[in-house]
Amino acid sequence: MDLPWLFLFSSLTIAFFLTVTVAQQEPLYHFCLDLNGNFTRNSTYQANLYRLLSSFTLDTSNENGFYNFSSGQGSNIANALALCRGDVNSSDCFTCINNANDELRNRCPYQREAIIWYDYCMFRYTNRTILGVAETSPSFYMWNLDNATSTKDAFSQGLASLLNNLTNNASSGTSLGKFSTGSALLPFQAIYALVQCTPDLTKNECSYCLSQAIGEIPQFLDTKRGDRIYMPSCYFRFEIERFYDLTAADTGTTIPSPPSPPRSNDTTTIGNFSSLFY
Ligand SMILES: *[C@@H]1O[C@H](CO)[C@@H](O)[C@H](O)[C@H]1NC(C)=O
Ligand SMILES: *[C@@H]1O[C@H](CO)[C@@H](O)[C@H](O)[C@H]1NC(C)=O
Ligand SMILES: *[C@@H]1O[C@H](CO)[C@@H](O)[C@H](O)[C@H]1NC(C)=O
Ligand SMILES: *[C@@H]1O[C@H](CO)[C@@H](O)[C@H](O)[C@H]1NC(C)=O
Ligand SMILES: *[C@@H]1O[C@H](CO)[C@@H](O)[C@H](O)[C@H]1NC(C)=O
Ligand SMILES: *[C@@H]1O[C@H](CO)[C@@H](O)[C@H](O)[C@H]1NC(C)=O
Ligand SMILES: *[C@@H]1O[C@H](CO)[C@@H](O)[C@H](O)[C@H]1NC(C)=O
Ligand SMILES: *[C@@H]1O[C@H](CO)[C@@H](O)[C@H](O)[C@H]1NC(C)=O
Ligand SMILES: *[C@@H]1O[C@H](CO)[C@@H](O)[C@H](O)[C@H]1NC(C)=O
Ligand SMILES: CC(=O)N[C@H]1CO[C@H](CO)[C@@H](O)[C@@H]1O
């Protein structure tokens, strides 16, 4: 089922609105990045990139859902990273990364660098060194259309406290990587949130990346019933319903959970408000 969302895309100084529909296994957004120019057809870089993208294998013993691959050397090296959401099992993770790989090659056939996000995973490639580098750009935002029922101050303070706590937990890292989920009861409103960094970042880099993402909230989003901000190295999401898998996400947070609302099968519309459920 397609769902209406409003998007805001941020490229430092450029921002604009767009209405799109997002199905659960459809990409949320992608960027084809050709600031350094597209690669030359039949170049060594192209050969390295295509070899990489057509032959990488995903190791089932890897618990943190993070994968890095390289092919070639010097300025012709092709580097790729993939990260799955911390609560997604390896079969859903591999499906997501394989779709992302196919989709990104179709959408950005000649770009040296590209990145794509899904609900379940992120996939990117470039000739730059990106392993261990905290990157906050390019980024995009999504939010639910309706306002929270809590008062603005209670909501934004409670949300900030929850996201800060989750940032502390995620940046400390666990066997599931730099991932944390949790919930809080605000006046009139429960909120559920998820934060994640790529696990190659240090604790400080992860905190930095998430603070950049969370720092964007007050400008546009602090009373909405659900927001997400995605950056290459980290992202957060919150909703007024639980949208993540508790069994897989139970490390990294000790925030007590209020009773969960019943899980719907896939997608639900509440009044004039659409949200994703898993
Ligand atoms: C890169 O290729 C795309 C077509 O795939 C084209 O639209 C774009 O202008 C090219 N960029 C540069 C910098 O040449
Ligand atoms: C690239 O290589 C293919 C096959 O080797 C050839 O058919 C094609 O003409 C080449 N393209 C360019 C732009 O050199
Ligand atoms: C990536 O490719 C661009 C364009 O050829 C080049 O200017 C840049 O130096 C390369 N980056 C690295 C890290 O090799
Ligand atoms: C992975 O999770 C999905 C639900 O998102 C479930 O349908 C599937 O059976 C799970 N696969 C495994 C191997 O546990
Ligand atoms: C949400 O709140 C803002 C500011 O309080 C208000 O301008 C807007 O109309 C509200 N939107 C909805 C859908 O209630
Ligand atoms: C965040 O953690 C602090 C200290 O453990 C706790 O007092 C506070 O209630 C937490 N905030 C939320 C929203 O859970
Ligand atoms: C990157 O990939 C190599 C080879 O698979 C692996 O040994 C290394 O641990 C990975 N690095 C990270 C930070 O995941
Ligand atoms: C969820 O699935 C159950 C059984 O498959 C069905 O009875 C129920 O109507 C579904 N609920 C929604 C909201 O689609
Ligand atoms: C839902 O929102 C749309 C667009 O804002 C509006 O046209 C429609 O009338 C609303 N429907 C209800 C039931 O409020
Ligand atoms: C594993 C971990 O870091 N847990 C911490 C999560 O955050 C809460 C509140 O900030 C801490 O009390 C936990 O120790």
Side-chain angles (χ1 to χ4, degrees):
M1 181 183 174
D2 286 350
L3 298 165
W5 285 84
L6 262 185
F7 279 61
L8 172 67
F9 299 96
S10 159
S11 171
L12 296 180
T13 52
I14 302 166
F16 56 94
F17 293 93
L18 189 64
T19 301
V20 299
T21 60
V22 179
Q24 192 162 354
Q25 299 302 337
E26 292 299 309
L28 300 175
Y29 198 63
H30 74 283
F31 291 91
C32 301
L33 297 160
D34 59 1
L35 295 177
N36 285 327
N38 294 340
F39 57 72
T40 310
R41 309 288 162 89
N42 295 351
S43 61
T44 309
Y45 180 73
Q46 180 181 23
N48 288 337
L49 181 64
Y50 285 11
R51 186 181 313 118
L52 179 70
L53 299 181
S54 58
S55 67
F56 68 74
T57 54
L58 298 167
D59 180 357
T60 49
S61 70
N62 184 340
E63 281 194 346
N64 64 14
F66 180 68
Y67 303 90
N68 77 88
F69 316 100
S70 293
S71 175
Q73 48 193 294
S75 65
N76 290 315
I77 195 170
N79 297 308
L81 293 184
L83 177 68
C84 285
R85 213 173 80 183
D87 60 333
V88 167
N89 64 33
S90 56
S91 63
D92 282 352
C93 175
F94 292 179
T95 301
C96 187
I97 293 173
N98 287 324
N99 284 343
N101 176 23
D102 291 343
E103 202 61 39
L104 202 53
R105 261 189 293 178
N106 288 336
R107 291 172 184 233
C108 308
Y110 303 119
Q111 276 82 9
R112 191 173 292 275
E113 176 162 354
I115 182 166
I116 191 165
W117 289 268
Y118 289 70
D119 271 330
Y120 284 177
C121 70
M122 176 276 293
F123 183 72
R124 59 188 299 213
Y125 55 75
T126 176
N127 73 325
R128 297 183 299 117
T129 299
I130 46 174
L131 191 64
V133 180
E135 298 203 340
T136 57
S137 174
S139 66
F140 73 97
Y141 312 166
M142 298 171 69
W143 66 89
N144 284 336
L145 294 169
D146 276 3
N147 291 332
T149 52
S150 209
T151 60
K152 181 171 161 44
D153 285 350
F155 189 75
S156 52
Q157 281 165 20
L159 178 63
S161 170
L162 177 59
L163 290 174
N164 286 338
N165 287 355
L166 295 180
T167 295
N168 288 338
N169 285 12
S171 57
S172 301
T174 69
S175 66
L176 286 181
K178 291 189 158 53
F179 172 72
S180 185
T181 57
S183 55
L185 264 178
L186 309 180
F188 314 115
Q189 190 95 72
I191 50 175
Y192 298 80
L194 177 161
V195 306
Q196 189 170 17
C197 294
T198 58
D200 56 326
L201 301 191
T202 63
K203 185 176 197 292
N204 284 345
E205 287 168 340
C206 178
S207 296
Y208 165 77
C209 187
L210 285 169
S211 70
Q212 293 292 109
I214 293 162
E216 301 277 355
I217 298 175
Q219 295 172 20
F220 310 102
L221 308 174
D222 68 347
T223 59
K224 296 300 173 193
R225 291 163 57 139
D227 298 340
R228 317 182 196 190
I229 298 182
Y230 289 87
M231 293 174 164
S233 295
C234 70
Y235 66 94
F236 77 83
R237 174 176 175 187
F238 79 86
E239 305 285 349
I240 60 160
E241 310 281 0
R242 184 161 65 79
F243 57 91
Y244 49 82
D245 185 346
L246 264 191
T247 56
D250 60 359
T251 57
T253 182
T254 56
I255 294 166
S257 294
S260 298
R263 285 183 72 150
S264 90
N265 302 345
D266 183 10
T267 61
T268 298
T269 300
I270 304 169
N272 207 5
F273 156 75
S274 294
S275 184
L276 284 173
F277 295 85
Y278 302 97

